[in-house]
């Protein structure tokens, strides 16, 4: 089984989930080009990885990076693929044990 560990974009975390007033104000003003571009890039990269795995018949599970803070569970994945940036890769590597880690930079 392959474990896909992904990050959430700033836009998703603060604009959609937490509904941060500062981010909401930016969204209302239309000052979102950077946020939306980064969000789209993250989603496109995650979709590409999941689609490639599925097309090859690879068994996988996708989890948000905060979900691995307490470990990976058992059995250990044969491979960990991270989709995000340096922080996502480092977070996964910290708990990887003997599982190899492959990073896909979505930025």
């Amino acid at each position: 089984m392959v474990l896909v560990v992904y990050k959430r974009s700033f836009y998703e975390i603060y604009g959609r989930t937490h509904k941060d007033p500062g981010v909401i104000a930016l969204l209302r003003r239309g000052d979102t080009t950077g946020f939306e571009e980064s969000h789209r890039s993250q989603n496109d990269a995650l979709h590409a990885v999941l689609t490639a795995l599925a097309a090859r018949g690879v068994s996988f599970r996708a989890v948000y990076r905060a979900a691995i803070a307490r470990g990976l569970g058992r059995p250990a994945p044969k491979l960990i693929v991270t989709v995000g940036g340096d922080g996502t890769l480092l977070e996964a590597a910290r708990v990887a044990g003997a599982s190899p880690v492959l990073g896909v930079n979505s930025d």
Side-chain angles (χ1 to χ4, degrees):
M1 189 267 304
V2 173
L3 181 65
V4 179
V5 179
Y6 62 91
K7 75 172 187 175
R8 290 187 180 152
S9 68
F10 179 87
Y11 175 77
E12 184 175 357
I13 294 170
Y14 295 103
R16 289 185 173 175
T17 305
H18 296 302
K19 306 216 183 292
D20 181 275
V23 174
I24 299 300
L26 287 173
L27 295 174
R28 287 192 180 128
R29 285 197 313 260
D31 298 340
T32 61
T33 305
F35 297 141
E36 289 174 340
E37 184 177 316
S38 177
H39 177 72
R40 200 169 22 258
S41 176
Q42 171 63 24
N43 283 347
D44 289 349
L46 179 59
H47 178 73
V49 168
L50 298 179
T51 300
L53 291 170
R56 287 157 183 80
V58 175
S59 172
F60 67 88
R61 181 170 56 106
V63 297
Y64 174 51
R65 73 186 240 188
I68 64 168
R70 291 173 298 231
L72 302 176
R74 296 285 174 240
K78 293 185 180 195
L79 174 67
I80 300 169
V81 177
T82 65
V83 181
D86 295 347
T88 307
L89 180 95
L90 292 170
E91 183 90 22
R94 186 177 61 76
V95 296
S99 299
V101 180
L102 171 69
V104 176
N105 192 341
S106 64
D107 297 331

